[in-house]
Amino acid sequence: MTDEMGTAGARGDTLHILWTTGDAATARHMVMMYARNSLLRGWWGGVTVVIWGAAQGLAARDPAVQDEMRVLMNVGVKFSACVSCAMALGVRADLEALGVEVIPWGQPLTDLLKGGAPLLTV
């Protein structure tokens, strides 16, 4: 099964990380570290990081976080962001320029939750 974000399986072996914190240390030393290691060590078959709220401003403006995101994209981590937040925060173009997919996330998140998919919220 392929969901709207193009990730294989909304349940099972794909982990979704809902990244909402604007704290750079947490972003680098939890979100990015776990996403990277999850793929490289085979803990999960796929990882999608969903960027929502304050995390979008951090991703759009912090060069160190952007560098880490690029590294993760190169190892196969997918990044997707809530379009409503991106537009409200004025960062849609910045996120898209980084290679982040920007889409409506309300329904897909609801589907993940209702379906019992693996979801880590930070």
Side-chain angles (χ1 to χ4, degrees):
M1 171 176 140
T2 300
D3 64 18
E4 289 179 5
M5 289 69 61
T7 55
R11 300 185 264 303
D13 204 34
T14 298
L15 173 66
H16 286 79
I17 300 174
L18 180 58
W19 171 26
T20 64
T21 181
D23 180 71
T26 301
R28 286 192 311 271
H29 300 293
M30 194 290 145
V31 175
M32 306 297 173
M33 183 183 297
Y34 188 72
R36 178 183 57 248
N37 287 331
S38 289
L39 283 184
L40 294 178
R41 296 180 182 187
W43 299 336
W44 294 97
V47 176
T48 297
V49 177
V50 180
I51 314 169
W52 205 309
Q56 290 189 358
L58 182 65
R61 295 185 177 95
D62 186 311
V65 169
Q66 293 171 352
D67 288 345
E68 186 67 22
M69 289 173 65
R70 288 183 191 101
V71 168
L72 292 178
M73 287 177 193
N74 285 334
V75 299
V77 174
K78 296 178 174 144
F79 285 86
S80 187
C82 169
V83 68
S84 295
C85 291
M87 289 176 16
L89 296 168
V91 297
R92 181 177 185 169
D94 298 316
L95 293 173
E96 289 176 337
L98 283 169
V100 174
E101 170 189 60
V102 180
I103 63 169
W105 256 99
Q107 188 63 55
L109 179 60
T110 300
D111 294 343
L112 290 170
L113 292 168
K114 285 184 173 185
L119 177 70
L120 176 62
T121 303
V122 182

